[in-house]
Amino acid sequence: MDDEDMSCTSGEDYGGYGDEDYYNEADVDAADDVAVTPTHSEEADYECLSVNQVERVFIDGVNSLVSRIQINEKYARILLEANQWDADKIVTGYRKDRTEFMRKSHIESKPEPKRTLSATTSMLKGYCSVCAMDGYPTLPHLSCGHCFCEHCWRGHIESRLSEGVAARIECMESECEVYAPSEFVLLLLKSLPALKVKYERFLLRDMVNSHPQLKFCVGNDCEVIIRSTEPKPKRVTCQCCHTSFCVKCGADYHAPTSCETIRQWMTKCADDSETANYISAHTKDCPQCHSCIEKAGGCNHIQCTRCKHHFCWMCFGDWKSHGSEYYECSRYKENPSVAAEANHVKARRALEKYLHYFERFENHSKSLKMEEELRDKIRKKIDDKVNEHNGTWIDWQYLHKSVSLLTKCRYTLQYTYPFAYYLGAGPRKNLFEYQQAQLEKEVEELAWAVERAEVTARGALEAHMHRAEHKRQVLLHDFFF
């Protein structure tokens, strides 16, 4: 694929869920046609670049820095990578204290004590302190002056590459933090093509990751690199593999939740979900001291090991009076006060809070998958009606737009739960939960109407769509944009 073919700019808002056929064309303005016109776009301004185009971005950055301060190009690239490609920061630090700044950027070494006569003599003889061999005619070295043989340098580079390090391969001398320029490494790997290719691939990854405007597409086997100056965690969609993700963190698009919050949430889900499910299913709290108790046998007569209280596992009643109350134990009672007392334990409350948000987050995730099947059914239904000459493709597109909008609204609703979980109590949370409830109500009403689209009047369905998208836009305006 040519560079010209690869380069592209962001388009309209596709909602993160689209088909690669003509149905995608109708999705573009689905929200705008029937609902409200967003005051802000969820789609970031971006462009898709090839590897060659990204390399030109790096070269332009290096040339720009070289024109502002007197520095070699190979060191300019190290400076930019070490300082997140912030040229102004580099120029300021360089002019303020050149020596100290170059040390902090790992280009120059710290002052060392004068070498002894024996050490100087060994260096003159071509001595490598790693393999303890001498007689080498030349010894490669970095700006720090520490010399080692080519064989040891190659071994060191291969070792660092196995650890995933490329841009920050340091000198082998103990406590020396000078980085090796790419030109130095590539020269040493000239006779090792496989290792050279691996180094170039890892170096590109490190350079892209250090650049605040660049992000690899997260699609499988996709080599596109996204460039964006967007400060907010908005959505980008790769124009080659059509994968949508957050432009800031590379995770699934997660508005209104921030990148840091969604990272915490996903980590917590991975760590706590199985534990929480087990605790919820297999443990209860002592009704007297609120200790968490796991039932180890079949008998429902439980004695708390902490406070020695005897109680019934099923109804939490005092075992002393339980003999005459089996009827009460087996009968369902709404809001049993004894059982409610167990919820006062702090750990249990925290668990219940987590499960409350986690279950709803997961439920909407499952609903999205089922509604993808609904999308396919509606698409087939539209095709059948058009083939039977029962209206045109345009006549029935409102059905497809309805399920597309439902997907978009439910997707936003799903990510409101991590946001609410970490949002502190107060007026702001009260407002958020109110708007969240309003959106949930409209989403479920829209889902009900979409599932019964054939018996729902078009005007009524579009009214549901308008209200749902309006609630979604209001929530995003207040808590994301």
Side-chain angles (χ1 to χ4, degrees), residues 414-434:
Q414 177 189 2
Y415 282 95
T416 62
Y417 284 98
F419 186 95
Y421 178 79
Y422 289 101
L423 189 61
R428 179 173 166 80
K429 183 164 188 176
N430 294 339
L431 175 61
F432 179 82
E433 289 180 336
Y434 172 78

Side-chain angles (χ1 to χ4, degrees), residues 105-274:
S105 299
H106 306 278
I107 293 177
E108 294 182 359
S109 61
K110 298 177 182 178
E112 296 183 14
K114 290 186 178 180
R115 302 177 188 270
T116 61
L117 182 61
S118 59
T120 305
T121 305
S122 297
M123 188 172 66
L124 292 175
K125 291 180 179 179
Y127 176 77
C128 174
S129 60
V130 174
C131 61
M133 295 182 67
D134 57 11
Y136 293 103
T138 58
L139 289 174
H141 61 84
L142 302 177
S143 61
C144 55
H146 300 129
C147 300
F148 306 97
C149 69
E150 291 186 10
H151 178 76
C152 290
W153 269 117
R154 291 191 187 104
H156 176 60
I157 292 168
E158 185 173 8
S159 174
R160 296 299 280 149
L161 286 176
S162 68
E163 297 170 357
V165 178
R168 301 190 177 190
I169 297 177
E170 64 286 315
C171 174
M172 288 186 281
E173 182 70 19
S174 176
E175 299 183 3
C176 182
E177 298 178 349
V178 173
Y179 291 159
S182 58
E183 293 83 354
F184 177 85
V185 176
L186 290 171
L187 187 62
L188 288 167
L189 299 181
K190 191 175 182 180
S191 60
L192 301 170
L195 202 59
K196 180 182 176 184
V197 169
K198 183 178 182 180
Y199 171 74
E200 289 174 335
R201 188 173 73 252
F202 281 20
L203 181 64
L204 174 66
R205 179 207 61 194
D206 289 350
M207 299 299 280
V208 170
N209 290 341
S210 69
H211 201 297
Q213 297 179 8
L214 300 177
K215 180 74 65 178
F216 280 107
C217 173
V218 299
N220 292 333
D221 301 321
C222 185
E223 297 182 353
V224 170
I225 298 166
I226 306 294
R227 185 182 188 184
S228 175
T229 58
E230 180 60 55
K232 285 186 174 293
K234 293 187 178 182
R235 177 180 53 239
V236 293
T237 303
C238 176
Q239 302 300 320
C240 293
C241 69
H242 307 292
T243 302
S244 294
F245 55 95
C246 171
V247 70
K248 300 301 288 184
C249 67
D252 291 340
Y253 178 59
H254 47 74
T257 309
S258 68
C259 296
E260 181 59 32
T261 298
I262 200 63
R263 191 179 296 115
Q264 293 176 8
W265 172 256
M266 298 310 292
T267 301
K268 184 173 184 61
C269 289
D271 293 343
D272 289 359
S273 59
E274 288 303 318

